């Protein structure tokens, strides 16, 4: 999988940009606020349709855009890419509402045809590492859920569909719970049982699909990330586990396997366990007015032995733990697509010593994937062993192609 070109229009500091991308990738070099991270943000949006830098995508559109034509602020991203089945292009247009509400309209096209955002996710696959990714371990559980959802959604369209439907059903169920709270209804009230029955069944169906995919992904991610972490640090007690308020049924002594997770009997046990958890938590839900169990409340736990890396690990351990997870994610997306995804590295090497730089570059060389890197200094790229990449020098939203080396 190779990104061949990138076009930006009114995207943050880039008013207009048309960039051809070499097959191996590129290295963008420039001072802070020069726009180099914006390039990676735009590429990752083409893969996921969502910005990795902000939850409010209104700020992406240059606020001076459209003024000459008396139009509301807008932004556009377009990328042409090649994969095993040929050449494709994907385009995302963002327009700020012109009625003063500040809301955002997003339009997505794949191969020139308007599609839903969910149909565009994962057409181009990419893994992004930024210095802020340490917050995956140190931040809130919602950040780890978001990371998990984005990764699996690129690999599995059924997962993305189930996750989307789960979210819609959850919203309906929460609305119903709030109405019960307002009416001060008890769990034993016939109306509660009758009206919740349908939404419980719907929520359980999609929750099981989401849970089965997540458990399978974590099982594979943990084992592969452990291998990378051992290679990077020598420590063998690394593990990633999935934490849930409701306890999933016990699996075999070898852990979760693809065959087990794909079996109907296992999904039936998941369904029974989740339904039981909904029943036992009803009293609490009628006090709080929200659904308190389910995939929307679960999270990842990353540990060294019995130690939570996010809470008690050193900064170096946390950074290398996330690097290990990202390298493992690359493998899983590679297998899902049967071709390597893009790897986007935002100023990673400035915080790693020569040994770890070499280990990461060696891992990348084995995969023959396209790599797009940013750095504040060309010395960092030379030390990292990536001097063969095309070098882009950035300054205030402008780019100059510099000689290699």
């Amino acid at each position: 999988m190779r990104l061949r070109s990138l076009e930006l229009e009114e995207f943050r500091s880039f008013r207009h940009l048309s960039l051809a991308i070499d097959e191996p990738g590129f290295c963008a070099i420039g001072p802070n606020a020069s726009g180099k991270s914006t390039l990676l943000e735009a590429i990752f949006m083409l893969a996921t349709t969502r910005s990795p830098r902000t939850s409010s995508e209104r700020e992406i559109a240059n606020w001076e855009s459209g003024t000459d034509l008396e139009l509301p602020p807008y932004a556009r991203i377009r990328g042409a890419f090649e994969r095993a089945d040929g050449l494709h292009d994907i385009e995302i247009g963002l327009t700020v509402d012109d009625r003063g509400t500040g809301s955002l309209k997003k339009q997505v096209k794949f191969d020139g045809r308007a599609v839903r955002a969910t149909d565009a996710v994962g057409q181009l696959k990419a893994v992004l590492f930024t210095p802020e990714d340490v917050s995956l371990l140190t931040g809130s559980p919602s950040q780890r859920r978001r990371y998990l959802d984005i990764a699996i959604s690129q690999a599995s369209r059924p997962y993305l569909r189930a996750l989307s439907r789960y979210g819609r059903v959850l919203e309906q169920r929460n609305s119903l719970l709030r109405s019960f709270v307002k009416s001060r209804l008890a769990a034993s009230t016939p109306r509660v049982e009758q009206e919740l029955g349908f939404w419980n069944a719907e929520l359980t169906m999609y929750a099981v699909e989401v849970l089965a995919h997540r458990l399978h992904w974590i099982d594979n991610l943990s084992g592969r990330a452990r291998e990378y972490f051992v290679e990077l640090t020598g420590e063998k007690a690394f593990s990633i586990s999935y934490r849930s308020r409701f306890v999933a049924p016990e699996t075999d002594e070898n852990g979760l396997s693809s065959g087990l997770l794909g079996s109907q009997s296992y999904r039936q046990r998941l369904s029974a366990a989740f339904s039981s958890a909904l029943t036992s938590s009803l009293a609490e839900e009628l006090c709080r007015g929200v659904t308190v169990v389910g995939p929307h409340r679960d999270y990842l736990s990353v540990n060294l032995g019995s130690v939570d890396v996010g809470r008690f690990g050193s900064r170096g351990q946390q950074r290398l733990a996330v690097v290990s997870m990202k390298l493992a994610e690359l493998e899983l997306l590679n297998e899902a697509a049967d071709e390597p995804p893009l790897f986007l590295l935002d100023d990673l090497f400035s915080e790693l010593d020569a040994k770890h730089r070499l280990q990461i570059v060696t891992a990348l060389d084995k995969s023959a994937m396209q790599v797009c890197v940013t750095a504040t200094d060309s010395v960092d790229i030379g030390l990292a062993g990536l001097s063969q990449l095309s070098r882009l020098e950035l300054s205030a939203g402008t780019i100059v192609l510099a000689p290699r080396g």
Side-chain angles (χ1 to χ4, degrees):
M1 197 168 290
R2 295 286 189 272
L3 185 64
R4 294 303 187 189
S5 65
L6 177 67
E7 296 177 16
L8 303 180
E9 185 177 355
E10 305 293 3
F11 189 87
R12 295 196 186 272
S13 60
F14 290 99
R15 302 304 302 268
H16 300 280
L17 172 69
S18 181
L19 180 65
I21 300 175
D22 287 349
E23 184 168 329
F26 64 78
C27 171
I29 301 171
N32 293 332
S34 62
K36 58 186 187 298
S37 296
T38 299
L39 290 178
L40 302 191
E41 176 187 21
I43 295 171
F44 197 67
M45 279 194 71
L46 292 175
T48 66
T49 74
R50 299 171 64 180
S51 169
R53 296 173 62 185
T54 178
S55 58
S56 177
E57 293 179 342
R58 290 172 296 180
E59 65 189 51
I60 289 175
N62 190 307
W63 282 94
E64 295 181 7
S65 62
T67 54
D68 292 344
L69 300 175
E70 298 184 353
L71 296 173
Y74 70 94
R76 186 180 70 90
I77 323 166
R78 181 177 179 272
F81 64 97
E82 182 179 3
R83 64 187 188 194
D85 63 350
L87 294 172
H88 301 277
D89 67 81
I90 187 167
E91 180 178 330
I92 299 174
L94 305 171
T95 306
V96 178
D97 190 280
D98 59 357
R99 294 170 295 181
T101 64
S103 60
L104 191 74
K105 181 180 180 181
K106 181 183 291 187
Q107 294 178 311
V108 182
K109 292 182 179 180
F110 181 66
D111 288 344
R113 182 174 58 88
V115 296
R116 297 176 299 178
T118 53
D119 293 326
V121 173
Q123 297 288 355
L124 171 69
K125 294 178 171 56
V127 174
L128 170 67
F129 182 93
T130 75
E132 292 74 29
D133 280 341
V134 170
S135 65
L136 287 176
L137 306 184
T138 61
S140 66
S142 64
Q143 289 177 273
R144 294 187 283 282
R145 284 193 296 270
R146 186 175 187 269
Y147 158 71
L148 193 61
D149 290 338
I150 290 173
I152 306 176
S153 293
Q154 288 193 74
S156 171
R157 199 159 303 282
Y159 176 80
L160 181 57
R161 285 196 296 265
L163 183 67
S164 177
R165 291 167 182 168
Y166 176 84
R168 291 197 293 268
V169 173
L170 179 67
E171 185 177 346
Q172 294 291 333
R173 189 176 188 273
N174 284 343
S175 177
L176 185 59
L177 286 171
R178 287 192 294 271
S179 72
F180 290 159
V181 171
K182 188 175 181 180
S183 300
R184 298 183 179 181
L185 297 180
S188 58
T189 306
R191 178 188 164 191
V192 171
E193 181 178 352
Q194 291 170 1
E195 295 189 27
L196 270 183
F198 171 78
W199 296 113
N200 284 355
E202 290 286 294
L203 194 71
T204 298
M205 177 172 60
Y206 296 123
V208 166
E209 188 70 18
V210 170
L211 286 165
H213 277 87
R214 283 185 179 179
L215 291 169
H216 176 49
W217 183 269
I218 292 301
D219 184 47
N220 283 286
L221 185 74
S222 181
R224 295 166 195 242
R226 183 186 302 113
E227 293 178 5
Y228 282 114
F229 195 78
V230 170
E231 184 178 341
L232 291 169
T233 69
E235 299 186 57
K236 300 180 180 180
F238 182 86
S239 65
I240 305 172
S241 55
Y242 188 78
R243 303 297 184 187
S244 177
R245 177 166 172 173
F246 100 92
V247 180
E250 292 295 324
T251 60
D252 63 9
E253 61 182 8
N254 296 318
L256 302 168
S257 68
S258 58
L260 180 62
L261 287 172
S263 72
Q264 187 62 31
S265 62
Y266 181 74
R267 288 173 182 266
Q268 288 173 349
R269 284 187 287 154
L270 272 179
S271 179
F274 186 73
S275 295
S276 176
L278 285 178
T279 300
S280 62
S281 63
L282 181 56
E284 180 183 353
E285 291 178 335
L286 290 176
C287 290
R288 300 177 58 182
V290 293
T291 304
V292 299
V293 295
H296 65 291
R297 306 280 297 215
D298 301 343
Y299 64 97
L300 301 183
S301 176
V302 180
N303 300 285
L304 278 175
S306 59
V307 176
D308 185 318
V309 178
R311 295 182 61 191
F312 303 110
S314 68
R315 183 75 173 181
Q317 287 174 324
Q318 292 168 353
R319 185 164 300 282
L320 291 173
V322 175
V323 169
S324 299
M325 292 167 64
K326 297 286 184 171
L327 290 172
E329 182 187 343
L330 283 169
E331 284 193 20
L332 295 179
L333 287 181
N334 191 347
E335 291 178 3
D338 199 26
E339 58 183 316
L342 280 63
F343 198 15
L344 315 175
L345 295 164
D346 192 10
D347 202 23
L348 167 65
F349 296 110
S350 62
E351 298 195 27
L352 295 177
D353 58 31
K355 174 186 174 182
H356 290 130
R357 287 170 174 161
L358 179 59
Q359 288 173 310
I360 293 172
V361 170
T362 300
L364 297 179
D365 285 343
K366 292 178 182 177
S367 65
M369 68 183 65
Q370 190 177 47
V371 181
C372 301
V373 187
T374 73
T376 56
D377 195 315
S378 59
V379 173
D380 291 331
I381 298 304
L383 291 174
L386 293 172
S387 57
Q388 80 281 5
L389 296 179
S390 298
R391 199 172 76 189
L392 311 176
E393 294 185 351
L394 281 77
S395 176
T398 61
I399 296 179
V400 175
L401 181 63
R404 288 185 177 89

